[in-house]
Amino acid sequence: MLTLATTRPGEPEIFASLQGEGASVGKPSTFVRLSRCNLACHWCDTAYTWRFSGDNRPHTDGLDFAREANQVKLEEAEVAQMVAALKPDRLVLTGGEPLLQGAALARMVAALKELRGEFHVEIETNGSVAPHPALDPLIDQFNVSPKLAHSGNPASLALIPERLAAYAADPRAFFKFVIAERSDIEEVLGLVAAHSILPSRVFLMPEGRDSATLRARARWLGDLCAEHGFNFTDRLHIHLWGDTRGT
């Protein structure tokens, strides 16, 4: 059984769109958004996947969400059928933190490949959770987004050295760092050096949930990428559709 986020009560957030971030930006993809997260970024744009009523972890919006309206549980085979019915042959598993449901995701992806054959499977993770042994060989690409200090998460939870080292050693992994201020680059440089992460596998992305904020930060973030040999990634889906579910 998988626990998914919803676009509206009872409707799982499974949709076809364009990948908006990272190494696969612009590619047609089917998204499956899982509910629940082990971290709590105060600028998170999917807080409806974890900040349920009674959760007092801080968030800039100060909102909480009714669990019943924002979660739905489905059998793995049913999710596989819903994904197979959509056109893209690229699947992005996102969240929340999808690796918290690794065993169930492995069953879903295996069922999907039986229905439709080969899929390119990406998983978006905060980098603090190891992939389940049954899921790991089914993943083609890890989009790892370690959470820097400005996220509000303690490093002891968000930046686990052995996990970052394992992803750095995995050629399937790309690293995406959310940047809010110029000074955030120092933390990125420290992590890249500590874990021998190849600059060619590093993407810097401006933090922001609207086009104006993203463009303003992109002006100086592009210079930092060029200076340090990192890739730049925008948030394409925000520019196209805004900060909305199911896009």
Side-chain angles (χ1 to χ4, degrees):
M1 187 79 74
L2 284 166
T3 303
L4 296 100
T6 62
T7 51
R8 56 181 59 88
E11 183 175 316
E13 195 170 355
I14 298 172
F15 59 96
S17 185
L18 301 175
Q19 172 62 289
E21 303 171 355
S24 304
V25 67
K27 293 186 180 296
S29 305
T30 293
F31 290 80
V32 174
R33 187 175 301 283
L34 282 297
S35 189
R36 307 200 325 256
C37 192
N38 61 319
L39 300 182
C41 300
H42 66 76
W43 37 253
C44 178
D45 62 353
T46 58
Y48 60 90
T49 66
W50 58 268
R51 201 173 191 276
F52 303 116
S53 300
D55 189 329
N56 295 319
R57 291 179 291 177
H59 191 275
T60 53
D61 291 347
L63 299 175
D64 57 20
F65 300 87
R67 188 183 297 271
E68 296 77 13
N70 290 279
Q71 275 189 350
V72 62
K73 294 182 183 293
L74 295 176
E75 296 290 344
E76 295 91 336
E78 184 176 0
V79 174
Q81 289 171 351
M82 296 175 75
V83 172
L86 298 174
K87 186 174 182 179
D89 59 4
R90 180 179 296 265
L91 171 63
V92 180
L93 303 170
T94 187
E97 174 48 62
L99 287 178
L100 296 177
Q101 302 183 59
L105 280 177
R107 293 189 291 270
M108 187 277 287
V109 173
L112 174 62
K113 292 189 175 187
E114 287 187 7
L115 289 170
R116 278 262 310 255
E118 288 303 312
F119 261 70
H120 180 95
V121 181
E122 299 182 18
I123 194 155
E124 300 191 332
T125 174
N126 59 38
S128 68
V129 181
H132 189 278
L135 178 64
D136 188 40
L138 302 176
I139 302 300
D140 298 291
Q141 182 174 317
F142 289 96
N143 301 325
V144 185
S145 183
K147 304 310 178 190
L148 304 179
H150 69 80
S151 71
N153 295 288
S156 59
L157 294 180
L159 302 174
I160 301 172
E162 57 266 33
R163 289 290 354 116
L164 294 177
Y167 283 118
D170 191 330
R172 298 171 294 173
F174 294 88
F175 287 79
K176 178 186 70 185
F177 294 96
V178 178
I179 305 295
E181 304 289 344
R182 289 177 175 86
S183 58
D184 295 334
I185 190 65
E186 298 304 323
E187 192 175 358
V188 173
L189 293 173
L191 291 169
V192 166
H195 301 292
S196 301
I197 303 172
L198 294 175
S200 60
R201 291 163 57 196
V202 173
F203 288 77
L204 303 185
M205 184 180 78
E207 190 275 318
R209 290 184 282 167
D210 62 83
S211 285
T213 301
L214 293 171
R215 290 191 179 105
R217 288 174 170 161
R219 293 188 184 100
W220 50 261
L221 186 54
D223 291 336
L224 288 176
C225 287
E227 178 182 352
H228 296 287
F230 298 145
N231 302 288
F232 174 86
T233 180
D234 209 335
R235 307 193 73 206
L236 178 63
H237 54 298
I238 297 293
H239 296 302
L240 293 177
W241 299 293
D243 183 15
T244 56
R245 303 192 196 193
T247 57

Coordinates of all heavy atoms in Angstrom, one line a residue, residues 146-150 159 175-194 197 199 202-207 217 220-232:
P146 N 20.2 17.7 -1.0 CA 20.5 17.9 0.4 C 20.0 19.2 0.9 O 20.2 20.2 0.2 CB 22.0 17.7 0.4 CG 22.4 17.1 -0.9 CD 21.4 17.5 -1.9
K147 N 19.5 19.3 2.1 CA 19.0 20.5 2.6 C 20.0 21.3 3.4 O 20.5 20.8 4.4 CB 17.7 20.2 3.5 CG 16.7 19.4 2.8 CD 16.3 20.0 1.4 CE 15.3 19.2 0.7 NZ 15.1 19.6 -0.7
L148 N 20.3 22.5 3.0 CA 21.3 23.3 3.6 C 20.7 24.0 4.9 O 19.5 23.8 5.2 CB 21.7 24.4 2.6 CG 22.3 23.9 1.3 CD1 22.6 25.1 0.4 CD2 23.4 23.0 1.4
A149 N 21.6 24.7 5.6 CA 21.2 25.2 6.9 C 20.0 26.2 6.8 O 19.1 26.2 7.7 CB 22.3 26.0 7.5
H150 N 19.8 26.9 5.7 CA 18.7 27.9 5.6 C 17.4 27.2 5.4 O 16.3 27.8 5.6 CB 19.0 28.8 4.4 CG 18.8 28.2 3.0 ND1 17.6 27.9 2.4 CD2 19.8 27.8 2.2 CE1 17.9 27.4 1.2 NE2 19.1 27.2 1.1
L159 N 21.9 16.1 6.8 CA 23.2 15.9 6.1 C 24.0 14.8 6.7 O 24.9 15.0 7.5 CB 24.0 17.2 6.1 CG 23.3 18.5 5.5 CD1 24.2 19.7 5.7 CD2 23.0 18.2 4.0
F175 N 23.0 16.0 -7.9 CA 22.8 16.8 -6.7 C 22.2 18.1 -7.1 O 22.8 18.8 -7.9 CB 24.1 16.9 -5.9 CG 24.6 15.7 -5.2 CD1 25.2 14.7 -6.0 CD2 24.3 15.5 -3.9 CE1 25.6 13.5 -5.4 CE2 24.8 14.3 -3.3 CZ 25.4 13.3 -4.0
K176 N 21.1 18.5 -6.4 CA 20.5 19.8 -6.6 C 20.4 20.5 -5.3 O 19.8 20.0 -4.3 CB 19.0 19.6 -7.1 CG 18.3 20.8 -7.4 CD 16.8 20.5 -7.7 CE 16.1 19.9 -6.6 NZ 14.7 19.5 -6.9
F177 N 21.1 21.7 -5.2 CA 21.1 22.5 -4.0 C 20.2 23.7 -4.2 O 20.4 24.5 -5.1 CB 22.5 22.9 -3.6 CG 23.4 21.8 -3.3 CD1 24.3 21.2 -4.2 CD2 23.5 21.3 -2.0 CE1 25.1 20.1 -3.9 CE2 24.3 20.2 -1.6 CZ 25.1 19.6 -2.6
V178 N 19.3 23.9 -3.2 CA 18.4 25.1 -3.2 C 19.2 26.2 -2.6 O 19.7 26.1 -1.5 CB 17.1 24.8 -2.5 CG1 16.2 26.0 -2.4 CG2 16.4 23.6 -3.1
I179 N 19.3 27.4 -3.3 CA 20.1 28.5 -2.9 C 19.1 29.7 -2.7 O 18.4 30.1 -3.6 CB 21.1 28.9 -4.0 CG1 22.0 27.6 -4.3 CG2 21.9 30.1 -3.5 CD1 22.8 27.2 -3.2
A180 N 19.2 30.3 -1.5 CA 18.4 31.4 -1.2 C 19.2 32.7 -1.1 O 18.7 33.8 -1.4 CB 17.7 31.2 0.2
E181 N 20.5 32.6 -0.6 CA 21.4 33.7 -0.5 C 22.7 33.4 -1.1 O 23.1 32.2 -1.2 CB 21.6 34.1 1.0 CG 20.3 34.4 1.7 CD 19.7 35.7 1.3 OE1 20.3 36.6 0.6 OE2 18.5 35.9 1.6
R182 N 23.5 34.4 -1.6 CA 24.8 34.2 -2.1 C 25.7 33.3 -1.2 O 26.5 32.5 -1.6 CB 25.5 35.5 -2.5 CG 24.9 36.2 -3.7 CD 25.6 37.5 -3.9 NE 25.1 38.2 -5.1 CZ 24.1 39.0 -5.1 NH1 23.3 39.2 -4.0 NH2 23.7 39.6 -6.2
S183 N 25.6 33.6 0.1 CA 26.4 33.0 1.1 C 26.2 31.4 1.2 O 27.1 30.7 1.7 CB 26.2 33.6 2.5 OG 24.9 33.5 2.9
D184 N 25.1 31.0 0.7 CA 24.8 29.5 0.7 C 25.8 28.7 -0.1 O 26.0 27.5 0.1 CB 23.4 29.2 0.2 CG 22.3 29.8 1.0 OD1 22.5 30.0 2.2 OD2 21.2 30.1 0.5
I185 N 26.5 29.4 -1.0 CA 27.5 28.7 -1.9 C 28.6 28.1 -1.0 O 29.2 27.0 -1.4 CB 28.0 29.6 -3.0 CG1 28.8 28.8 -4.0 CG2 28.9 30.7 -2.4 CD1 28.0 27.8 -4.8
E186 N 28.9 28.7 0.1 CA 30.0 28.2 0.9 C 29.7 26.9 1.5 O 30.6 26.0 1.6 CB 30.3 29.2 2.1 CG 30.8 30.6 1.6 CD 32.0 30.5 0.7 OE1 32.9 29.6 0.9 OE2 32.1 31.3 -0.3
E187 N 28.4 26.7 1.9 CA 28.0 25.3 2.4 C 28.1 24.3 1.3 O 28.5 23.2 1.5 CB 26.6 25.4 3.0 CG 26.3 24.2 3.9 CD 24.9 24.4 4.6 OE1 24.3 25.4 4.5 OE2 24.5 23.4 5.2
V188 N 27.6 24.7 0.1 CA 27.7 23.8 -1.0 C 29.1 23.4 -1.3 O 29.4 22.2 -1.5 CB 27.1 24.4 -2.3 CG1 27.3 23.5 -3.5 CG2 25.6 24.7 -2.1
L189 N 30.0 24.3 -1.4 CA 31.4 24.0 -1.7 C 32.0 23.1 -0.6 O 32.8 22.2 -0.9 CB 32.2 25.3 -1.7 CG 31.9 26.2 -2.9 CD1 32.6 27.6 -2.8 CD2 32.2 25.6 -4.2
G190 N 31.6 23.3 0.7 CA 32.1 22.4 1.7 C 31.6 21.0 1.5 O 32.4 20.0 1.7
L191 N 30.3 20.8 1.2 CA 29.8 19.4 1.0 C 30.4 18.8 -0.3 O 30.7 17.6 -0.3 CB 28.3 19.5 0.8 CG 27.5 19.9 2.1 CD1 26.1 20.2 1.8 CD2 27.6 18.8 3.1
V192 N 30.6 19.5 -1.3 CA 31.1 19.0 -2.6 C 32.6 18.5 -2.3 O 32.9 17.4 -2.7 CB 31.1 20.1 -3.7 CG1 32.0 19.7 -4.9 CG2 29.7 20.3 -4.2
A193 N 33.3 19.3 -1.6 CA 34.7 18.9 -1.2 C 34.7 17.7 -0.3 O 35.5 16.7 -0.5 CB 35.5 20.1 -0.6
A194 N 33.9 17.7 0.7 CA 33.9 16.6 1.7 C 33.5 15.3 1.2 O 34.0 14.3 1.6 CB 33.0 17.0 2.9
I197 N 32.1 15.2 -4.7 CA 31.0 15.2 -5.6 C 31.5 16.0 -6.9 O 32.1 17.1 -6.8 CB 29.8 16.0 -5.1 CG1 29.3 15.3 -3.8 CG2 28.6 16.0 -6.1 CD1 28.2 16.1 -3.0
P199 N 31.6 18.3 -9.9 CA 30.8 19.6 -10.2 C 29.9 19.4 -11.4 O 28.8 20.0 -11.4 CB 31.9 20.6 -10.6 CG 33.1 20.1 -9.8 CD 33.0 18.6 -9.8
V202 N 26.4 18.6 -10.2 CA 25.8 19.5 -9.2 C 25.0 20.6 -9.9 O 25.5 21.2 -10.9 CB 26.9 20.2 -8.4 CG1 26.3 21.3 -7.5 CG2 27.7 19.2 -7.5
F203 N 23.8 20.8 -9.5 CA 22.9 21.8 -10.0 C 22.6 22.8 -8.8 O 22.3 22.3 -7.7 CB 21.6 21.2 -10.5 CG 21.8 20.5 -11.8 CD1 22.3 19.2 -11.8 CD2 21.4 21.0 -13.0 CE1 22.5 18.5 -13.0 CE2 21.5 20.3 -14.2 CZ 22.1 19.1 -14.2
L204 N 22.6 24.1 -9.1 CA 22.2 25.1 -8.1 C 20.9 25.6 -8.6 O 20.7 26.0 -9.8 CB 23.2 26.2 -8.0 CG 24.6 25.8 -7.6 CD1 25.5 27.0 -7.4 CD2 24.7 24.9 -6.4
M205 N 19.9 25.7 -7.7 CA 18.5 26.2 -8.1 C 18.1 27.3 -7.1 O 18.3 27.2 -5.9 CB 17.6 25.0 -8.0 CG 16.1 25.3 -8.4 SD 15.0 23.9 -8.2 CE 14.7 23.9 -6.5
P206 N 17.6 28.4 -7.7 CA 17.1 29.4 -6.8 C 15.9 29.0 -6.0 O 15.0 28.3 -6.5 CB 16.7 30.6 -7.7 CG 16.5 29.9 -9.1 CD 17.4 28.7 -9.1
E207 N 15.9 29.4 -4.7 CA 14.7 29.1 -3.9 C 13.6 30.1 -4.2 O 13.9 31.3 -4.4 CB 15.0 29.2 -2.4 CG 13.9 28.7 -1.4 CD 12.9 29.8 -1.1 OE1 13.3 31.0 -0.9 OE2 11.7 29.5 -1.1
R217 N 16.8 36.0 -8.2 CA 17.9 35.2 -7.7 C 18.7 34.5 -8.8 O 19.9 34.3 -8.6 CB 17.3 34.1 -6.7 CG 16.9 34.7 -5.4 CD 16.2 33.8 -4.5 NE 16.0 34.4 -3.2 CZ 15.1 34.0 -2.2 NH1 14.4 32.9 -2.5 NH2 15.0 34.7 -1.1
W220 N 22.1 36.5 -10.0 CA 23.4 36.3 -9.4 C 23.8 34.8 -9.2 O 24.9 34.5 -9.2 CB 23.4 37.0 -8.0 CG 22.3 36.7 -7.1 CD1 21.2 37.5 -6.8 CD2 22.2 35.6 -6.2 NE1 20.4 37.0 -5.9 CE2 21.0 35.8 -5.4 CE3 23.0 34.5 -5.9 CZ2 20.6 34.9 -4.5 CZ3 22.5 33.6 -5.0 CH2 21.4 33.8 -4.3
L221 N 22.8 33.9 -9.2 CA 23.1 32.5 -9.1 C 23.8 32.0 -10.3 O 24.7 31.1 -10.3 CB 21.8 31.7 -8.8 CG 22.0 30.2 -8.5 CD1 23.0 30.0 -7.4 CD2 20.7 29.6 -8.1
G222 N 23.4 32.5 -11.5 CA 24.0 32.1 -12.8 C 25.5 32.4 -12.7 O 26.4 31.6 -13.2
D223 N 25.9 33.5 -12.1 CA 27.3 33.9 -12.0 C 28.0 32.9 -11.1 O 29.2 32.5 -11.4 CB 27.4 35.3 -11.5 CG 27.0 36.4 -12.5 OD1 26.9 36.1 -13.7 OD2 26.6 37.5 -12.0
L224 N 27.4 32.5 -10.0 CA 28.0 31.6 -9.1 C 28.2 30.2 -9.8 O 29.3 29.6 -9.6 CB 27.2 31.4 -7.9 CG 27.2 32.6 -6.9 CD1 26.2 32.3 -5.7 CD2 28.6 32.8 -6.3
C225 N 27.3 29.8 -10.6 CA 27.4 28.5 -11.3 C 28.6 28.6 -12.3 O 29.4 27.7 -12.3 CB 26.1 28.2 -12.1 SG 24.8 27.7 -11.1
A226 N 28.7 29.7 -13.0 CA 29.8 29.8 -14.0 C 31.1 29.9 -13.2 O 32.1 29.3 -13.7 CB 29.6 31.1 -14.8
E227 N 31.2 30.5 -12.1 CA 32.4 30.7 -11.4 C 32.9 29.3 -10.8 O 34.2 29.1 -10.9 CB 32.2 31.6 -10.2 CG 33.5 31.8 -9.3 CD 33.2 32.8 -8.1 OE1 32.1 33.4 -8.1 OE2 34.1 32.9 -7.3
H228 N 32.0 28.5 -10.4 CA 32.5 27.3 -9.7 C 32.3 26.0 -10.6 O 32.6 24.9 -10.1 CB 31.7 27.1 -8.4 CG 32.0 28.2 -7.4 ND1 33.2 28.2 -6.7 CD2 31.2 29.2 -7.0 CE1 33.2 29.3 -5.9 NE2 32.0 29.9 -6.1
G229 N 31.8 26.1 -11.8 CA 31.7 25.0 -12.7 C 30.5 24.1 -12.4 O 30.5 22.9 -12.8
F230 N 29.4 24.7 -11.8 CA 28.2 24.0 -11.5 C 27.2 24.2 -12.6 O 27.2 25.2 -13.3 CB 27.7 24.4 -10.1 CG 28.6 24.1 -9.0 CD1 28.6 24.9 -7.9 CD2 29.4 22.9 -8.9 CE1 29.4 24.7 -6.8 CE2 30.2 22.7 -7.9 CZ 30.2 23.5 -6.8
N231 N 26.2 23.4 -12.6 CA 25.0 23.6 -13.5 C 24.0 24.5 -12.8 O 23.8 24.4 -11.6 CB 24.4 22.2 -13.8 CG 25.3 21.3 -14.5 OD1 25.7 21.4 -15.6 ND2 25.7 20.2 -13.7
F232 N 23.3 25.2 -13.7 CA 22.1 26.0 -13.2 C 20.8 25.3 -13.5 O 20.7 24.8 -14.7 CB 22.1 27.4 -13.8 CG 20.9 28.2 -13.4 CD1 20.9 29.0 -12.3 CD2 19.8 28.2 -14.3 CE1 19.8 29.7 -11.9 CE2 18.7 29.0 -14.0 CZ 18.7 29.7 -12.8

